[in-house]
Amino acid sequence: MIRFYFHPTPNPAKVALMLEETGLSYELVPVDTSKGEQHTPAFRAINPNGKVPAIVDTEGPGGKEARVFDSGAILLYLGDKTGLLIGSPADRPELLSWLFFIASGVGPFSGQAVHFQHAAPEKLAYAINRYRREVERHYEVLDAHLRNREFIVGKEYTIADISAWGWLDRAPRVLPGETSAMAAFPNLERWYRGIDSRPAVTKARSVGKDHAFKKEMDEETRRALFPSNFPKVAG
């Protein structure tokens, strides 16, 4: 059984899709990051970094319980555990390369673009331009790579596609504007529509819908989501 620590944001969405694609049994454990539940000692014992997603596999290596945190690590772990969606052995170098490209580029720059456009108290033109332009550059890399290709790695759907989908699904929020966020990237848009039409995506979107996550952006939420912006509390 997989215990899946979840909040409805892009990185947990990747793991939700992976679990639905593989058919692994899992128990959903909501973590309301707007309330600061990711900072509790109980959750920090699972992910010392205080972020979602994270999983606990009750039947890990050697039959022992195993924790895994960070979406890229979780996708690799579940792929290796099931033997699914990881391509062929010959695909492994490309698979790792694109997973790290997404983890070190697409994900964090998309997150910062969202932050400075939607959450920051001041709309800093330099920061917004910096992160938007880097996101666009990453999209250009993927768009060029996907020319005449159906999937990111090899000839089959893999965790590289799942990882990229998690953030591309939020493209309108990452690159808001008068036109579609992917209008300038036709190969990327074609790829996204293909992934997004999969039945497992519909199931993944429904994960956590029955839980009332906090939506208000008040002082508690800002302190929970952006603790580095505030002085440390002694204790």
Side-chain angles (χ1 to χ4, degrees):
M1 171 69 72
I2 304 293
R3 290 201 300 273
F4 173 29
Y5 296 83
F6 172 87
H7 186 271
T9 42
N11 288 320
K14 304 173 187 179
V15 177
L17 179 53
M18 181 66 173
L19 289 167
E20 293 296 340
E21 291 281 12
T22 58
L24 284 167
S25 296
Y26 68 93
E27 172 194 358
L28 191 72
V29 183
V31 178
D32 199 328
T33 59
S34 292
K35 294 181 179 178
E37 292 175 355
Q38 71 276 32
H39 303 307
T40 64
F43 184 73
R44 290 280 184 148
I46 296 162
N47 185 355
N49 194 35
K51 302 282 186 180
V52 288
I55 65 168
V56 171
D57 182 1
T58 61
E59 299 174 352
K64 297 180 180 180
E65 189 169 276
R67 71 174 185 183
V68 191
F69 55 88
D70 192 276
S71 61
I74 295 169
L75 293 179
L76 276 169
Y77 176 82
L78 295 177
D80 288 341
K81 178 182 176 72
T82 61
L84 300 173
L85 305 177
I86 52 174
S88 68
D91 292 328
R92 193 72 169 190
E94 283 283 305
L95 183 74
L96 293 174
S97 296
W98 287 107
L99 280 175
F100 278 81
F101 168 80
I102 296 160
S104 65
V106 175
F109 281 92
S110 294
Q112 293 298 329
V114 169
H115 178 80
F116 282 104
Q117 292 176 99
H118 302 290
E122 299 177 52
K123 298 299 181 279
L124 301 174
Y126 176 86
I128 291 170
N129 180 69
R130 160 71 175 160
Y131 289 110
R132 282 184 63 104
R133 291 296 296 272
E134 271 297 280
V135 170
E136 290 168 351
R137 187 183 70 79
H138 291 133
Y139 283 15
E140 287 172 359
V141 171
L142 280 169
D143 188 70
H145 176 68
L146 286 164
R147 188 178 298 118
N148 301 319
R149 299 180 63 92
E150 186 176 358
F151 302 109
I152 293 176
V153 175
K155 296 182 179 180
E156 297 180 354
Y157 175 62
T158 68
I159 55 176
D161 301 293
I162 291 175
S163 184
W165 170 85
W167 271 107
L168 269 294
D169 192 48
R170 302 298 179 94
R173 188 161 175 80
V174 175
L175 295 178
E178 296 180 0
T179 61
S180 165
M182 284 187 271
F185 314 101
N187 301 309
L188 186 60
E189 186 170 35
R190 167 186 50 78
W191 164 88
Y192 170 77
R193 294 190 184 283
I195 303 302
D196 204 54
S197 67
R198 296 179 67 86
V201 168
T202 301
K203 295 178 181 178
R205 289 192 197 285
S206 70
V207 170
K209 289 294 187 183
D210 57 350
H211 184 82
F213 289 96
K214 182 181 177 183
K215 296 182 179 179
E216 297 82 8
M217 179 58 78
D218 56 16
E219 184 73 5
E220 178 193 43
T221 301
R222 284 188 285 270
R223 286 180 176 273
L225 296 181
F226 317 122
S228 300
N229 292 349
F230 299 88
K232 287 187 177 181
V233 177

